[in-house]
């Protein structure tokens, strides 16, 4: 795993000479419909295949009870966190996340927190802040979600969530009821 890049380090396009900052990103994955582990692995593979995005870590897999599900007896989620370095802008990363969800038959409905084949959430994109209908950074509920904080903490115990503080402290405050690490399951970077 690489260290979070210095915000002044840039990647230069060899054809145009255009410079792009390298940012550390945190992506949360979740699935509670269909072949959950295969879907998460497919999402990891799709992220790894994204040009100008370099995976630096994949967390252990956790299983969690659905949070605020509108559906009674909603299936359990499998969750993981992926770390990567990238020169891609946040809006393009969001477009890629949505495309990966669509590739795994994610059905969108008006029901918030409904069961889904795949959730690909951008948690952090460097120090970028955004608050519009298309993109919110850092993720507005990540500081409360143990199913995001636990796997992220496994990868980067000293990480901080912008505007909220150290994830270790946030994890101490988050409700971790119904979340368990699944050491019998693993995701791999191909």
């Amino acid at each position: 795993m690489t260290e979070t890049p210095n915000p002044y380090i840039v990647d230069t396009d060899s054809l145009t000479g255009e410079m792009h900052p390298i940012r550390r990103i945190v992506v949360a994955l979740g699935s509670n419909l269909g072949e959950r582990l295969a879907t998460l692995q497919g999402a990891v593979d799709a992220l790894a295949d994204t040009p100008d995005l370099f995976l630096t870590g994949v967390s252990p897999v956790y299983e969690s009870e659905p949070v605020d599900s509108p559906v009674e007896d909603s299936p359990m989620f499998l969750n993981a966190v992926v770390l990567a370095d990238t020169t891609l802008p946040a809006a393009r990363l969001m477009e890629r996340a949505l495309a990966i969800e669509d590739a795994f038959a994610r059905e969108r409905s008006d029901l918030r927190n409904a069961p889904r084949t795949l959730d690909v959430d951008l948690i952090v994109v460097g120090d970028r802040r955004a608050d519009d209908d298309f993109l919110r950074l850092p993720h507005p509920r990540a500081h409360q979600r143990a199913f995001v904080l636990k796997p992220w903490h496994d990868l980067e115990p000293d990480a901080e969530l912008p505007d909220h503080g150290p994830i270790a402290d946030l994890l101490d405050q988050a409700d971790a009821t119904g979340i368990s690490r699944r050491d019998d399951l693993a995701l791999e970077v191909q």
Side-chain angles (χ1 to χ4, degrees), residues 91-138:
R92 188 150 345 141
L93 290 167
M94 187 64 189
E95 290 168 356
R96 180 66 174 155
L98 294 171
I100 293 170
E101 287 179 348
D102 289 344
F104 286 91
R106 164 76 185 262
E107 291 184 21
R108 302 191 189 290
S109 75
D110 293 335
L111 292 177
R112 187 172 172 170
N113 299 322
R116 61 205 79 129
T117 54
L118 182 61
D119 221 359
V120 180
D121 288 334
L122 295 179
I123 305 301
V124 172
V125 178
D127 62 356
R128 174 87 156 71
R129 307 298 196 280
D131 189 16
D132 57 49
D133 290 338
F134 181 66
L135 181 64
R136 289 190 168 87
L137 289 171

Side-chain angles (χ1 to χ4, degrees), residues 3-4 11 24 62 66-67 82 85 104 128 133 156 162 178-179:
E3 294 294 317
T4 302
D11 180 41
R24 164 58 55 92
Y62 281 81
V67 175
V82 175
D85 292 332
F104 286 91
R128 174 87 156 71
D133 290 338
E156 289 187 311
I179 299 172

Side-chain angles (χ1 to χ4, degrees), residues 119-183:
D119 221 359
V120 180
D121 288 334
L122 295 179
I123 305 301
V124 172
V125 178
D127 62 356
R128 174 87 156 71
R129 307 298 196 280
D131 189 16
D132 57 49
D133 290 338
F134 181 66
L135 181 64
R136 289 190 168 87
L137 289 171
H139 190 283
R141 291 175 304 285
H143 67 284
Q144 303 167 326
R145 305 293 200 207
F147 59 82
V148 171
L149 297 169
K150 276 185 174 259
W152 185 7
H153 185 266
D154 287 344
L155 290 173
E156 289 187 311
D158 60 343
E160 293 198 20
L161 180 62
D163 302 331
H164 295 284
I167 61 170
D169 294 347
L170 297 171
L171 187 52
D172 287 341
Q173 299 167 19
D175 181 6
T177 306
I179 299 172
S180 60
R181 186 167 157 162
R182 292 287 307 268
D183 289 326

Side-chain angles (χ1 to χ4, degrees), residues 23-40:
R23 295 184 183 102
R24 164 58 55 92
I25 67 167
V26 178
V27 179
L29 304 174
S31 175
N32 76 332
L33 292 178
E35 297 293 326
R36 301 174 303 161
L37 185 63
T39 298
L40 292 185

